[in-house]
Amino acid sequence: MSRSYGRYALLRAAQAVVVILLAYIGTFLVISVLPGDPITNMLRDPQNGLTDDEIQQIVAHYGLDKPVVIQLILSLGRFVTGDLGFSLQSNLPVSQLLGDALPSTLTLAGTALLLSVAIAVVIAYGVQYLPSRWARGVLRSVPSLFLSVPNFVVGLILIEIFAFRLHAFTTIDPDSAAATLFAALTLAIPVSAPLAEVLIANLDHESRQEYALVARSRGLSQARLFARHLVKPSMLPAVAMIALIVGELLGGAVITETIFGRDGLGTVVQKAVTSQDVPVLQAVVSLAAVVFVTVNLLADLASPLLDPRLDAKSERDAKSERKVVVPV
Amino acid sequence: MTVSIETTREALIADRPLPSTRPEGHPLLSVEGLSVSYGDASVVHDVGFTLERGQSLALIGESGSGKSTVAKSILRLLPTGESTVSGSVNLDGRELFGLPERQFRPLRGRLLGYIPQDPSSALNPVRTIGSQAHEAAALAGESDARVRRRDILSVFERVGLPDPERVYASYPHQLSGGMLQRVLIGLTVLPRPALIVADEPTSALDVTIQKLILDLLSELRRDLGISLLLITHDLAVAAERAESIVVLKNGIVEESGSSSQVFSTPTSAYARQLHADVPALNPDRYRSQRGAASGTTPPAALPAVEVHAATKRFRAGDVDVTALDGVSFTVARGTTHALVGESGSGKTTAVRLLLGLEQPDAGRIEVAGTQVHGQTSAGLRGLRRHLQLVYQNPFTSLDPTWRVGRIVREPLDRFKVGERAGRARLVEQTIEEVGLPASVLSRRPGQLSGGQRQRVAIARALIVRPDVLVLDEPTSALDVSVQAGILELLSRLQREQGLSYLLVSHDLALVRQLADTVTVLQRGKLVESGTVDQIFARPAHPYTRALLEAIPRTSPGLAQS
């Protein structure tokens, strides 16, 4: 399997790089067709006290007077070499801005990811194995409830109950562990719903399979049947789902950071949008693309390792050994 | 080989920790007053039978007769909470229904084994055979992993698996259906249970494999003294493999007794009907009806279908597969020609070439004198008016959201035949021809039975008045009595309308009933062809003989010998 898996992995990685570059180009083109040129506008701000000649020099230095295609190539070249440019607003390097904001957002999104998986697993397991039929029914409807309540409402309710009534955390120090946990919970709750739905559906499906019945007929207990037979096959579609969820977490982080008053990527994005800080926007969108594509790449690379049926080479061996293949 | 059997046997006997109560003179299994209902619907009502030690009993009936429900309630594998079970099941001196799950679980596998219907879904797809076999062996009470491995490999050898080591390391999708069923049988006999419940253990397998698996079960039963409760829909299989038979219909026992008695002197009308409907037992049932049709056309007339040296290759990964290798056959007008073979024999490819869905790599295919390949799509459409297909599975081939009237009318609309009013009349007429009341026209496929759906599929094919019907396993998804009705219908339509049939089937008993001429295919190659009488009386090729032997014997009582 190793050689064909290696080929598969290389192909997938190459595709991922292409997707990231396309995302960068797409963002660049969209920003460049927006009316108004934020850079020239800023340079013309009387506060800067620049003469027209100086402005011309700066514009020429950055190649802003060249056609869009040339600018794109220059910009792409800088992106590939890791140079993200300077923020128009703060004059700080964009990489530094992102570097400062990223740890906070990653902590939030990472915690939220773990929480959402945990919530989904608890719901899915409960739906299958709670002793009371009534409780199973209630639990089964929880994902649709989670899905239908907007992120910010969940956040405000959690702050009201746990910060203001129960004093479990304080909104004054948004980076404390407790505050982070509740912010992550806010983010995790709506995101856990589709994951729970997928898990519930798969567990339902797998537990109705003949092999579950046969395993029980050999004397396997319900708990061991679940642990040994049902978890792995039902997790397979969930792995692809988790990769999609990461995108949602990044989007949701912006809102959650605003509600909980955290400084993070969300704040950076918000400021960049309001002030048309083009290099920052370009960098943030590219970063989101990199994260999203990487996570999906990991999911794609993991799937054949988890599910032997997806291993292309062994599949083919088996077929040629087994019988003549007649495509129907 | 003998040595390994002995080791297996010792191992099996050694790890049998269950003290058997073994009250002498008591039957191994006795079922009394068993009733099962789902909600208000009663599916099994007051069923009772006994099975003696070392004997085998066949529970036979059609789908919906409750035979699988009886099996699952003995195994206590019915979904809890949805079904209500009452009555008594006594196995080896224990009343099974009274036992709490904790006490019943140790009996699973060790006293009571289960072989499922479809081996391809009966093993966890993401775990190796070896790991699942270890689990089964550990449940049987063997704690030493090395001993378990040795037992597993020897039982795999015992059930006729070539290269047990490779099977051990494989995933289920890497093995064929026949091999998987051997694995499952091996895992079931490993703890050497007193009783095995086999639920249609061969219905998902190719015919020649079916016979081998049934032979293996008979052999294991004899050698290891295991009793067998065989669930089947096939009276011929039941009579061949079991000492006694219980006939179920709508959850009620219609008749029970020794195989020879139920088989040769059935007392209930239903058992007599079953007997009459089994193709293997009544080779000449439709012959008199068809005789008139097959003789009428002068032999000089153009054949309805002519396939000459057709070859088709596919690429599967890195290997070229020749699905059809220089195969020729003809269907004479007004007769039935059968293409016979197992999965992978090239039957389906031949049909796809004939319908113009694939292009042959070499050879010539003509329908009523017109070449099929190289036609434009308009030409193909015209051709398909003369050549219609009846699919294998009426449960998936009809659009569930359409009403029957629209399904049957669709070809008329496509081919723009006649006026709108005329089409409606033609639809009604055709529905009547296939033996359905006009009231079905306003229904959807989901409201019809399997047999009715297949009649709808035949009506849809017939309505454009084709010359040739391609029947792709037309009855394999149907129960025997329903199957008999469809075969009756096909024979009548052929006689009345002078249709030519190309029958694609793996079931030689069916072929003998319906076909005039036969072509036998194996791995894409033609191995033998001729008239039905020739092939059945004097098969020349070993593969044809193997297929013929797979037809269950018509005389009962072979189970013992």
Side-chain angles (χ1 to χ4, degrees), chain A residues 173-190:
Chain A
D173 178 13
D175 289 322
S176 70
T180 305
L181 192 68
F182 280 99
L185 193 60
T186 306
L187 195 50
I189 281 178

Side-chain angles (χ1 to χ4, degrees), chain B residues 29 65 69 73 81 101 196 296 345 354 357 399 403 406 415 423 430 434 452 469 472 487 547:
Chain B
L29 172 72
S65 65
T69 307
S73 49
E101 182 68 22
I196 290 180
T296 46
S345 63
L354 196 57
L357 299 172
D399 187 332
R403 292 183 196 282
R406 186 175 169 200
F415 289 113
R423 285 178 202 169
T430 313
V434 298
Q452 286 176 321
L469 278 192
D472 186 3
L487 297 178
L547 283 175

Side-chain angles (χ1 to χ4, degrees), chain A residues 9 106 150 188 239 299 321:
Chain A
L106 282 187
V239 169
E321 272 167 38

Side-chain angles (χ1 to χ4, degrees), chain A:
Chain A
M1 96 158 220
S2 55
R3 224 179 73 204
S4 89
Y5 181 75
R7 210 162 56 198
Y8 165 80
L10 273 179
L11 190 71
R12 275 296 146 99
Q15 282 173 343
V17 171
V18 170
V19 169
I20 289 171
L21 291 179
L22 285 177
Y24 187 89
I25 294 170
T27 321
F28 186 93
L29 292 178
V30 167
I31 290 175
S32 72
V33 298
L34 286 178
D37 177 358
I39 298 176
T40 334
N41 283 349
M42 191 147 31
L43 292 173
R44 285 188 195 289
D45 190 331
Q47 278 185 348
N48 287 330
L50 296 167
T51 67
D52 277 358
D53 277 352
E54 284 169 321
I55 293 173
Q56 285 296 319
Q57 273 179 11
I58 296 173
V59 166
H61 177 77
Y62 286 106
L64 295 174
D65 52 349
K66 298 201 170 70
V68 175
V69 181
I70 304 293
Q71 286 188 47
L72 171 64
I73 292 169
L74 290 173
S75 167
L76 206 55
R78 287 196 295 271
F79 173 63
V80 172
T81 53
D83 176 8
L84 298 176
F86 284 83
S87 161
L88 296 181
Q89 206 195 14
S90 61
N91 275 327
L92 291 169
V94 173
S95 46
Q96 189 189 330
L97 270 180
L98 292 185
D100 288 347
L102 212 50
S104 162
T105 302
L106 282 187
T107 316
L108 178 66
T111 316
L113 182 63
L114 292 181
L115 279 177
S116 62
V117 171
I119 293 171
V121 167
V122 167
I123 292 176
Y125 187 88
V127 164
Q128 287 291 322
Y129 297 107
L130 273 187
S132 140
R133 178 188 282 242
W134 179 82
R136 287 199 301 265
V138 168
L139 206 54
R140 202 174 265 271
S141 61
V142 162
S144 23
L145 177 72
F146 279 4
L147 209 53
S148 50
V149 181
N151 188 313
F152 63 87
V153 174
V154 175
L156 293 177
I157 292 173
L158 285 179
I159 289 176
E160 174 67 25
I161 296 177
F162 289 96
F164 296 160
R165 297 275 170 83
L166 301 175
H167 304 290
F169 69 100
T170 152
T171 47
I172 298 164
D173 178 13
D175 289 322
S176 70
T180 305
L181 192 68
F182 280 99
L185 193 60
T186 306
L187 195 50
I189 281 178
V191 163
S192 68
L195 190 61
E197 296 275 21
V198 167
L199 276 178
I200 289 172
N202 281 305
L203 278 176
D204 274 355
H205 176 77
E206 295 299 333
S207 59
R208 274 199 308 269
Q209 294 300 299
E210 186 92 356
Y211 72 79
L213 206 67
V214 172
R216 269 180 63 209
S217 83
R218 295 197 196 108
L220 209 66
S221 67
Q222 199 65 258
R224 282 162 95 192
L225 177 71
F226 178 80
R228 289 198 188 168
H229 284 275
L230 303 182
V231 168
K232 196 172 161 192
S234 63
M235 282 305 277
L236 294 172
V239 169
M241 190 83 200
I242 288 173
L244 293 176
I245 278 176
V246 169
E248 242 175 282
L249 285 176
L250 285 180
V254 178
I255 299 169
T256 312
E257 280 172 355
T258 313
I259 300 171
F260 282 80
R262 295 168 65 92
D263 275 331
L265 218 49
T267 332
V268 173
V269 172
Q270 194 202 344
K271 282 183 190 156
V273 169
T274 46
S275 62
Q276 287 209 6
D277 198 339
V278 175
V280 176
L281 282 180
Q282 175 82 57
V284 169
V285 173
S286 308
L287 178 73
V290 169
V291 172
F292 194 64
V293 167
T294 309
V295 173
N296 276 285
L297 176 66
L298 289 178
D300 281 353
L301 293 184
S303 296
L305 301 179
L306 292 173
D307 190 342
R309 288 167 297 182
L310 294 178
D311 178 13
K313 187 168 178 293
S314 63
E315 180 94 334
R316 217 161 51 223
D317 283 354
K319 272 187 183 160
S320 54
E321 272 167 38
R322 191 165 60 203
K323 49 187 149 186
V324 182
V325 187
V326 181
V328 177

